Amino acid sequence: MTKQPTHTCTPAGGTALQAWQPLTQQAVFRQLLHAFSYPGQIMALDCEDAMTHVLATLLDAEVSLADVHEQLDALAWQRLQARRQVVEQANFVLLDGSRPALCEPALGTLESPEGGATLILRVAQLGTGTPLALSGPGIASCTALSVSGLHSSWLQARQRWNVGFPLGVDLLLVDQQQLVALPRTTAVQFDVLGAD
């Protein structure tokens, strides 16, 4: 798989608050758009904490977030301004991908399929580990994606959640400096190996 070129998300003279700068968020948003347009392509962010950059870009006071595994501290919640919500009703759900899938996110309705949640899973490493075969819109024929630190129960649950397409969930996998998107339109073939 060809890794996409790195786009800088750190402004010149960036500080610990770089993720909250408008220019940074614009750059990350472009990366996210590309990731969802071309599922399985690993997008590199030129920063030390891709998860914070993704959350800062996607969230604001108009959306809700469930932090299932309590990965955010009080300061992060204050900066994000997102509404806390139970997982069954949240627009976005933050999860530790190495742990089993034990939640039931919003899937949307036939009248409003866009109500399906976006799950943001922290993984150990993109580009190594368990191989996945992806196909669907935005993918020429088939592409391969390897992920380390993703419990296979998330992929099993994803199949169940997305069986009633257009209802379902979209997944964002994020490691320390990279992200990859698995929208509900993407078919994922995998071997059941448990956590890696």
Side-chain angles (χ1 to χ4, degrees):
M1 175 183 0
T2 302
K3 190 175 290 188
Q4 292 299 304
T6 298
H7 293 266
T8 300
C9 62
T10 305
T15 68
L17 298 178
Q18 64 183 1
W20 315 99
Q21 303 300 318
L23 289 179
T24 298
Q25 294 178 0
Q26 290 170 15
V28 175
F29 187 71
R30 287 193 294 271
Q31 294 287 74
L32 287 165
L33 285 179
H34 191 99
F36 275 101
S37 298
Y38 300 97
Q41 288 193 7
I42 296 174
M43 308 302 295
L45 303 182
D46 185 18
C47 54
E48 294 302 317
D49 185 359
M51 181 63 76
T52 297
H53 283 70
V54 167
L55 293 174
T57 300
L58 290 176
L59 303 181
D60 58 27
E62 300 301 314
V63 299
S64 58
L65 172 69
D67 182 12
V68 175
H69 299 132
E70 299 183 352
Q71 300 179 75
L72 300 178
D73 60 20
L75 181 58
W77 276 105
Q78 180 181 351
R79 288 174 173 163
L80 290 170
Q81 299 181 22
R83 303 188 315 273
R84 292 178 187 256
Q85 185 57 274
V86 295
V87 65
E88 296 85 359
Q89 300 175 22
N91 303 120
F92 295 90
V93 184
L94 178 60
L95 300 145
D96 179 348
S98 68
R99 299 169 68 169
L102 300 176
C103 64
E104 292 296 328
L107 305 181
T109 64
L110 289 176
E111 295 78 15
S112 300
E114 70 278 5
T118 297
L119 276 55
I120 307 171
L121 280 74
R122 186 187 298 272
V123 299
Q125 185 75 48
L126 295 169
T128 65
T130 303
L132 309 175
L134 312 180
S135 60
I139 300 171
S141 182
C142 184
T143 191
L145 170 68
S146 295
V147 183
S148 178
L150 178 66
H151 198 285
S152 66
S153 62
W154 289 110
L155 300 174
Q156 297 167 30
R158 179 185 179 274
Q159 286 186 335
R160 175 168 51 85
W161 294 327
N162 291 351
V163 71
F165 182 84
L167 279 64
V169 298
D170 302 312
L171 263 61
L172 265 175
L173 308 181
V174 184
D175 67 13
Q176 192 64 33
Q177 295 180 306
Q178 304 173 114
L179 64 88
V180 68
L182 298 176
R184 68 192 71 178
T185 54
T186 301
V188 180
Q189 295 182 349
F190 59 96
D191 293 324
V192 180
L193 299 175
D196 52 305

